[in-house]
Amino acid sequence: MNESQIDLAHAVALGSIGDEDRRAVHDVLDSGDAALRADFDSEVQQTREALTVFASASATPPPATLRTRLLAAIAADQTPAAATPHHPPR
């Protein structure tokens, strides 16, 4: 695999590919080169595994008050049902 294909595999693993990159992925996977496809798939899998390990190692639990604060913010943001005009179907 060349450097741009490795970069493309990393983008796939991150889930951050656009239309142009998506076409490039199809080109790699449809190339008919079984070794290239296997290398590409392996690079995507290894990158996903590395990202999982990294995310697990750096994860921290949320503050205990987060749920209460979120629910209060949601309640404050909601418009009461009586204030919303209702138009019956015609």
Side-chain angles (χ1 to χ4, degrees), residues 47-58:
T47 302
R48 285 180 176 157
E49 289 170 4
L51 291 169
T52 299
V53 169
F54 178 74
S56 297
S58 63

Side-chain angles (χ1 to χ4, degrees), residues 61-73:
T65 60
L66 179 62
R67 183 175 192 276
T68 304
R69 289 190 332 231
L70 284 173
L71 291 175

